[in-house]
Amino acid sequence: MTEEKKSLNFIEQIMEQDLETGKFDGRVHTRFPPEPNGFLHIGHAKSICLNFGIAQQYDGKTNLRFDDTNPSKEEQRYVDAIKEDIEWLGFEWNDDILFASDYFDKLYEYAIRLIKAGKAYVDDSTAEEIASTKGSPTTPGIESPYRSRNVEDNLDLFERMKAGEFDEGSKVVRAKIDMANPNMHLRDPIIYRIKKAHHHRTGDAWNIYPMYDFAHGYSDSIEGITHSICTLEFEVHRPLYDWLIDALDLYHPQQIEFARLNLNYTIMSKRKLLQLVEEGVVSGWDDPRMPTISGMRRRGYTPEAIRDFATGVGVAKRENIIDISRLEYSVRQHLNKITPRVMVVLDPLKVVITNYPEGETEELEIINNPERPEDGSRKLPFSREIYIERDDFMEDPPKKFFRLGPGRNSRLKGAYIITCNDFVKDEAGNITALHCTYYPDSKSGSDNSGIKAKGVLHWVSIPHAKDVEVRLYDRLFNDEAPDGHKEKSFMEFLNPDSLNTITAKAEPSMLDAKPGDKFQFMRKGYFCADIETAATHPVFNRTVTLRDSWAKAQKK
Ligand code: ATP
Ligand code: MG
């Protein structure tokens, strides 16, 4: 029992304790509260896996509630994208989707109750006046001259704010807490403001909108949430969360904070991701280089890999930075299990097998995935002329180069051993073809040639090769902390080589790939048939290389 307890993370410990003491009558009910002002990113994925995962673990429920209290930035298309991403990650929310805006009437009523209890007031101060009288963490603030307004006047003004009688910025409602409190969030925080914006759901019904802290805790309370899990920066908001709920003597969920996911080489602020989209640095929110869930999906990441990563990194109470290679590791692990191995030559060099009969084609049987024999095998055409990778040949190779060079041999994967006898150069000195001979009795599976070949090369038969577009994606930023520089914008750290588009030579079966199908291009990496372009022409996105080439480069 104690040993088992030790391996629980701190949130699980709280859950188990609450279940034991019956704090929430044995219920676990979490929520995931995205603001529909952008697409979800890998940080949100972490929060989704945590909130939905922990509820599953304790037979609980998770609400999907959109925090739509800021009408100017929120859009229906973001709501749709967020729903799609959560479902794709493999989670189901409780009942219907919910919106903070569902509670606008109730929240308005709560504000009235606070005013009636003398716990909130209408303040005519300007934003500048409010900011300049807030004080500092070490010096108390100054009470607003409107703080002592009587209840009747407050109610009247609040109603007229709602009716749209006043201009934006001319009045706010503030909770009456404590202008000298060391916690700045308790210095009479604003709970309602005037905003004459069109809301994506309530239209023009409202001229006032609740502030995040006000709407969030009350929404949790209304929904009967037990554990309101959020990121560390909200720890200092917790006293306000608690104060607001207690001020009206409402059902009281427990707010719990954990360290947000930070990844090196990655930015996660939605505002900055939007900038990348708007300035055309990427093709959209789902560009395969984006750290968004939709971008990762299009790149070929799987929900299993993302969930494995999210659970693997655990939950921490202190800020930390996770190495992106950990995410890539989870992706490789899963793709290694599920993908067929196929042959695609990215940088082709022609090979003529001079002793192979002209015009003949042989069908070779090749196993789809050695990790999963049940995935079967397929037929692959072999002929006298094939492509291999240009860098699998060296004119003057060092001793340890186990691929082709003059007089050297290699095995063609699933086919024969060949020896390179000669090469052809054009006028500019570029190698244009190799002349090789093959050993007919060296066929894979029935090799009795007695010849040893250390290198195994992938290849594609030239008369059967299909042209496919391949997008070699790499990290979007070439700096570990692109938004961690005081004097420089993250835009200055864009990796100029984050996308390299080429035409590759693929084995014929690649034309059957359906959007989203995933492959291991032998010796080259994992690739995914592009979701958007597959209908017009075959495009394969590089999901991840076979090995972590960045880690190696850094060690040098
Ligand atoms: P951003 O800072 O990227 O704009 P946000 O926190 O404003 O994100 P929300 O839509 O409010 O975005 O986030 C929804 C939920 O996702 C919140 O509960 C938030 O705590 C959580 N979340 C956001 N970013 C991360 C992250 N990097 N790690 C873990 N959880 C996160
Ligand atoms: Mg937020």
Side-chain angles (χ1 to χ4, degrees):
M1 169 98 172
T2 43
E3 279 220 336
E4 198 180 298
K5 280 259 147 107
K6 256 186 214 153
S7 65
L8 297 178
N9 68 47
F10 80 96
I11 296 180
E12 290 167 328
Q13 284 173 14
I14 295 171
M15 297 276 173
E16 303 231 330
Q17 203 180 343
D18 290 348
L19 287 172
E20 225 165 274
T21 61
K23 183 170 173 188
F24 295 107
D25 305 325
R27 288 186 310 122
V28 169
H29 199 152
T30 59
R31 87 285 172 268
F32 175 65
E35 186 181 352
N37 62 349
F39 280 51
L40 296 181
H41 53 60
I42 182 71
H44 295 114
K46 165 79 218 182
S47 175
I48 291 167
C49 292
L50 178 59
N51 276 293
F52 284 86
I54 205 145
Q56 273 175 1
Q57 200 175 324
Y58 294 103
D59 268 339
K61 298 170 180 171
T62 305
N63 288 357
L64 170 58
R65 181 206 314 142
F66 289 94
D67 244 310
D68 56 347
T69 51
N70 186 4
S72 44
K73 287 188 183 155
E74 295 156 3
E75 293 176 25
Q76 182 59 38
R77 71 182 185 109
Y78 294 135
V79 171
D80 297 337
I82 290 170
K83 282 163 62 184
E84 185 183 351
D85 288 347
I86 297 172
E87 285 179 327
W88 178 77
L89 275 178
F91 295 107
E92 250 178 69
W93 50 85
N94 180 45
D95 294 334
D96 293 336
I97 55 168
L98 302 164
F99 293 87
S101 56
D102 294 338
Y103 313 129
F104 279 175
D105 284 318
K106 193 136 201 180
L107 295 171
Y108 176 70
E109 183 201 308
Y110 283 175
I112 289 179
R113 278 170 65 186
L114 286 176
I115 291 173
K116 284 185 177 162
K119 292 174 180 174
Y121 59 97
V122 174
D123 195 333
D124 299 358
S125 309
T126 62
E128 294 73 35
E129 285 164 345
I130 290 176
S132 68
T133 52
K134 268 256 149 145
S136 75
T138 48
T139 53
I142 300 161
E143 292 186 357
S144 160
Y146 305 97
R147 200 175 198 261
S148 49
R149 239 180 197 147
N150 66 44
V151 170
E152 235 163 81
D153 289 350
N154 279 322
L155 288 175
D156 172 60
L157 290 169
F158 187 40
E159 201 185 317
R160 287 163 58 196
M161 281 170 70
K162 179 177 181 252
E165 273 186 43
F166 306 115
D167 291 337
E168 280 188 21
S170 65
K171 282 181 176 40
V172 292
V173 181
R174 297 175 73 177
K176 197 183 213 173
I177 308 180
D178 176 9
M179 286 305 290
N181 200 292
N183 183 335
M184 302 286 284
H185 293 282
L186 292 178
R187 293 189 186 175
D188 291 11
I190 297 171
I191 57 174
Y192 260 97
R193 66 197 150 149
I194 299 170
K195 220 172 181 140
K196 300 192 170 168
H198 188 84
H199 187 277
H200 75 119
R201 292 186 73 243
T202 58
D204 299 316
W206 293 87
N207 296 300
I208 53 172
Y209 289 93
M211 298 299 287
Y212 176 83
D213 281 324
F214 181 86
H216 188 79
Y218 284 144
S219 301
D220 283 348
S221 174
I222 291 166
E223 291 174 11
I225 299 303
T226 56
H227 301 85
S228 177
I229 302 169
C230 59
T231 42
L232 274 187
E233 66 273 22
F234 288 98
E235 191 169 8
V236 285
H237 297 239
R238 178 154 32 99
L240 176 57
Y241 183 101
D242 293 338
W243 186 93
L244 285 166
I245 289 174
D246 289 340
L248 296 180
D249 203 17
L250 298 171
Y251 164 78
H252 200 142
Q254 172 68 49
Q255 178 179 306
I256 303 169
E257 308 85 14
F258 74 103
R260 65 171 42 240
L261 172 73
N262 297 303
L263 275 181
N264 60 5
Y265 294 101
T266 309
I267 57 167
M268 279 191 229
S269 148
K270 276 187 273 188
R271 185 176 55 77
K272 291 176 185 166
L273 295 176
L274 178 64
Q275 194 181 334
L276 293 172
V277 174
E278 284 183 338
E279 293 185 17
V281 172
V282 294
S283 64
W285 283 97
D286 71 343
D287 184 295
R289 290 165 294 181
M290 290 282 270
T292 51
I293 297 178
S294 51
M296 294 188 295
R297 173 166 64 235
R298 191 167 172 187
R299 180 138 171 185
Y301 285 24
T302 60
E304 290 87 343
I306 295 172
R307 293 200 304 261
D308 175 72
F309 165 75
T311 6
V313 298
V315 285
K317 275 192 197 176
R318 297 210 187 296
E319 287 293 344
N320 58 76
I321 297 168
I322 306 284
D323 201 316
I324 183 87
S325 59
R326 230 173 136 165
L327 174 58
E328 293 165 349
Y329 173 80
S330 291
V331 173
R332 281 191 196 99
Q333 287 281 100
H334 188 228
L335 292 179
N336 178 48
K337 279 193 211 130
I338 64 164
T339 53
R341 275 57 171 166
V342 296
M343 299 214 235
V344 180
V345 175
L346 302 185
D347 184 11
L349 172 62
K350 178 175 169 176
V351 173
V352 182
I353 301 168
T354 51
N355 61 338
Y356 196 88
E358 258 176 77
E360 192 168 308
T361 297
E362 200 175 333
E363 296 270 320
L364 301 169
E365 185 91 11
I366 187 151
I367 296 216
N368 287 326
N369 183 356
E371 299 275 320
R372 265 200 332 204
E374 68 269 26
D375 286 358
S377 57
R378 68 181 184 287
K379 293 259 197 294
L380 198 63
F382 182 79
S383 69
R384 179 181 157 95
E385 297 197 344
I386 60 168
Y387 289 122
I388 63 165
E389 295 290 346
R390 185 160 287 278
D391 66 2
D392 280 339
F393 171 80
M394 277 181 87
E395 201 177 331
D396 187 16
K399 235 185 165 169
K400 292 220 159 151
F401 185 78
F402 298 123
R403 292 169 272 166
L404 290 176
R408 297 205 186 182
N409 66 28
S410 285
R411 170 168 293 284
L412 297 174
K413 176 78 190 173
Y416 301 94
I417 296 174
I418 56 172
T419 295
C420 175
N421 306 308
D422 200 5
F423 55 88
V424 184
K425 275 188 178 178
D426 65 12
E427 279 157 20
N430 303 310
I431 293 166
T432 53
L434 304 184
H435 288 172
C436 299
T437 43
Y438 86 118
Y439 301 90
D441 54 354
S442 66
K443 192 168 173 178
S444 286
S446 57
D447 178 7
N448 46 32
S449 65
I451 298 165
K452 286 211 171 74
K454 279 200 175 153
V456 180
L457 313 183
H458 62 282
W459 53 274
V460 172
S461 163
I462 292 180
H464 306 93
K466 305 294 175 196
D467 279 356
V468 295
E469 182 177 326
V470 171
R471 297 182 182 165
L472 300 170
Y473 288 107
D474 206 336
R475 291 175 187 170
L476 188 53
F477 295 100
N478 52 22
D479 185 86
E480 280 208 49
D483 57 359
H485 299 263
K486 282 222 173 70
E487 261 109 69
K488 289 183 173 174
S489 152
F490 64 97
M491 289 291 210
E492 292 186 44
F493 301 98
L494 287 165
N495 174 9
D497 300 318
S498 64
L499 171 57
N500 183 11
T501 302
I502 58 170
T503 302
K505 302 289 181 185
E507 63 167 86
S509 73
M510 296 309 288
L511 289 194
D512 301 331
K514 286 185 248 344
D517 281 357
K518 295 164 182 64
F519 303 91
Q520 186 193 102
F521 287 8
M522 249 178 244
R523 302 172 64 226
K524 286 293 160 193
Y526 295 100
F527 291 76
C528 176
D530 192 71
I531 297 168
E532 302 294 320
T533 49
T536 50
H537 65 294
V539 173
F540 295 91
N541 297 325
R542 180 166 70 195
T543 311
V544 67
T545 51
L546 287 181
R547 273 167 293 278
D548 184 356
S549 50
W550 283 66
K552 257 194 241 151
Q554 277 169 348
K555 267 186 210 137
K556 271 181 197 161

